[in-house]
Amino acid sequence: MYSKIAGTGSYLPEKILTNRDLEGFMETSDAWIRERTGIERRHVAAEGQGTVDLAEPAARRAIEAAGLAPRDIDLIVFATCTPDYVFPNAGTLLQQRLGCPGGAAFSVEAACSGFIYALSIADKFVRAGEAKHALVVGAEVLSRVTDWSDRGTAILFADGAGAVVLNASAQPGVLSTHLHADGSHRELLFCPGGPGARSGLPAAPAPGFIHMEGREVFKIAVMELGRVVDEALAANRLDRSALDWLVPHQANLRIIQGAARKLDLPMERVIVTVQDHGNTSAASVPLALDAGVRDGRIKRGELLLLEAFGAGFTWGAALVRY
Ligand code: ACO
């Protein structure tokens, strides 16, 4: 028994912030942002628009693309680090919106690696025979935890949602997933202010907002992504030449180019959306996947490598026969 991607979907809020818009209220430039990150614009949720508001249309599109109805969904795994509520979890909120009660629904918090973690969990449920039609979602409103006075992070993060439906299948789909974490670098990338925080902790630089040492994160991300990609290929006894598409986390164009070089993949074989989406954390990989599927680049039977790196640190990869 395998899990196989039956449909993909995504949703982006209407409001777009261009680099030029950012120039209007922080000391930065379009040229700097493009050169260092590849980002040109990003989508930002409207006031009153929450994570589940973005997730619902993405989920409906994925379910429709799979040829299913919401009532067919028997598992929801929802990756986010910007949930609407502390509880109930985002998965159950989405389940209520979709009208598919009964199956398990929960959220997964692994920052930018959240979708790879969620995909890996859902794949195991399907392989174990505990779900037939699993909905895997990544959705974020990072604009709410962005310190708009910090030009080192405010230019990067954005909002959006992506989803896939995994069907139980006798044909191979998700071939393997590889998850890792190293909790020893918390201070390089974190967002303080959780309700469970112990009092007496040293005052955070900006409570409730993302703090990142970008240069350090960059170095570790490149190293660990390189390793996990090799691990995924070796586990399947595949050479990198077998890959049709790299669908990477969209944090920074330079990190993506580094990963492509390591795989000997021309950039035409890499799905890049960072210029339009910025870094949408858990939404980034399913947004890119949906873009590649819907514009016809990614075709049935092709071999995809999905990878992501994020706060924690957490990172992971998935090899998928689409
Ligand atoms: N506009 C203009 N200048 C800027 C800006 C800006 N927006 N931001 C920083 N600078 C300046 C800095 O002040 C610095 O100036 P100085 O040399 O005078 O001190 C100079 O530009 C270089 O700054 P760096 O931070 O070294 O720039 P770098 O080339 O490393 O780019 C960036 C920064 C884009 C953040 C990069 O480090 C990066 O992408 N890091 C990885 C991010 C990532 O992958 N995160 C993981 C996932 S996120 C998650 O899990 C939530």
Side-chain angles (χ1 to χ4, degrees):
M1 181 74 81
Y2 294 94
S3 77
K4 196 164 178 64
I5 295 180
T8 66
S10 62
Y11 177 78
L12 290 157
E14 263 172 47
K15 185 177 171 191
I16 293 175
L17 263 185
T18 64
N19 293 348
R20 294 246 179 254
D21 293 330
L22 297 182
E23 284 178 356
F25 62 94
M26 70 178 77
E27 207 180 310
T28 190
S29 69
D30 176 48
W32 192 97
I33 301 172
R34 278 176 198 251
E35 189 196 311
R36 300 291 180 114
T37 72
I39 300 169
E40 296 171 20
R41 61 190 69 78
R42 73 281 292 142
H43 291 251
V44 177
E47 228 179 276
Q49 204 172 25
T51 296
V52 176
D53 294 325
L54 305 188
E56 185 184 348
R60 288 192 185 279
R61 286 169 191 172
I63 293 166
E64 192 188 352
L68 298 171
R71 66 175 176 279
D72 298 319
I73 298 300
D74 53 8
L75 170 69
I76 299 178
V77 188
F78 193 131
T80 185
C81 56
T82 50
D84 293 353
Y85 285 64
V86 174
F87 59 82
N89 76 67
T92 59
L93 297 174
L94 179 62
Q95 189 199 55
Q96 186 272 332
R97 296 275 192 97
L98 295 173
C100 51
F106 55 92
S107 55
V108 171
E109 197 271 275
C112 297
S113 313
F115 180 78
I116 303 287
Y117 268 63
L119 186 79
S120 178
I121 295 165
D123 172 57
K124 287 166 180 65
F125 269 77
V126 173
R127 280 177 192 244
E130 291 191 25
K132 284 196 170 61
H133 305 292
L135 178 65
V136 188
V137 181
E140 305 278 11
V141 283
L142 290 174
S143 59
R144 304 262 158 73
V145 290
T146 296
D147 176 359
W148 291 99
S149 68
D150 173 15
R151 66 178 182 169
T153 54
I155 57 157
L156 300 172
F157 297 107
D159 305 338
V164 306
V165 171
L166 290 181
N167 276 355
S169 162
Q171 303 300 321
V174 176
L175 301 181
S176 67
T177 59
H178 306 266
L179 305 182
H180 296 283
D182 178 354
S184 64
H185 300 292
R186 178 195 55 82
E187 74 287 357
L188 296 180
L189 179 53
F190 62 98
C191 183
R198 170 165 63 87
S199 62
L201 281 179
F209 296 119
I210 299 167
H211 175 85
M212 182 170 78
E213 302 293 332
R215 207 177 297 188
E216 293 309 309
V217 176
F218 192 104
K219 280 189 231 158
I220 299 171
V222 168
M223 184 178 72
E224 295 299 357
L225 285 173
R227 281 192 193 152
V228 77
V229 157
D230 286 344
E231 179 189 331
L233 289 169
N236 292 279
R237 294 194 182 82
L238 285 169
D239 185 73
R240 54 196 176 174
S241 61
L243 287 178
D244 292 301
W245 294 100
L246 174 63
V247 187
H249 173 46
Q250 311 283 320
N252 184 311
L253 184 59
R254 291 183 293 150
I255 297 179
I256 296 172
Q257 286 166 334
R261 259 196 309 276
K262 192 164 186 306
L263 288 167
D264 251 342
L265 268 184
M267 284 307 285
E268 299 76 56
R269 288 272 144 197
V270 184
I271 307 294
V272 181
T273 56
V274 71
Q275 70 283 0
D276 296 323
H277 298 172
N279 182 346
T280 58
S281 192
S284 134
V285 169
L287 269 165
L289 178 63
D290 189 50
V293 166
R294 287 191 187 250
D295 68 20
R297 278 178 291 171
I298 296 176
K299 297 187 177 57
R300 283 286 170 200
E302 290 186 322
L303 186 65
L304 322 180
L305 178 63
L306 282 46
E307 45 94 320
F309 181 92
F313 291 132
T314 55
W315 65 97
L319 258 181
V320 175
R321 182 69 67 190
Y322 178 66

